[in-house]
Amino acid sequence: ILTTYATFRSNKFNFLFNDFFSTEMSQMTIIADEAHSFGSESLIKVMPHKINKRIGLSATPDRQFDDIGVNAISDFFKSKAPFIY
């Protein structure tokens, strides 16, 4: 599945994604380009924690003046900054 962040955070996408792939999530890999965007409030709410294999890509992994967002993506990708390649 290839999607934009705008689609990924939408209710419709999340309903369909969770409904169709709930049992397969542990076998999936998520690759997040511009992963610093993943720390936004709307994306934090829909982080797919059931997906265990996670790769974050970003040239600027820190979210300036946003400790909550930085901590959320740090926890999600199971690493501390600089944790994104």
Side-chain angles (χ1 to χ4, degrees), residues 65-82:
F65 309 113
D66 183 8
D67 292 339
I68 293 171
V70 170
N71 290 334
I73 53 178
S74 180
D75 291 343
F76 182 75
F77 290 106
K78 300 183 182 349
S79 186
K80 297 292 178 197

Side-chain angles (χ1 to χ4, degrees), residues 10-42:
S10 72
N11 291 334
K12 184 176 182 179
F13 177 84
N14 275 277
F15 174 77
L16 293 172
F17 182 70
N18 289 310
D19 188 43
F20 288 128
F21 299 108
S22 62
T23 58
E24 289 86 7
M25 282 196 205
S26 64
Q27 301 168 7
M28 291 180 171
T29 300
I30 186 169
I31 302 172
D33 191 22
E34 300 298 332
H36 54 272
S37 298
F38 226 61
S40 72
E41 187 177 335
S42 60

Side-chain angles (χ1 to χ4, degrees), residues 44-61:
I44 289 172
K45 293 177 184 176
V46 296
M47 284 182 170
H49 291 281
K50 292 181 181 179
I51 296 177
N52 296 321
K53 295 175 262 180
R54 306 167 184 170
I55 300 170
L57 307 169
S58 180
T60 55

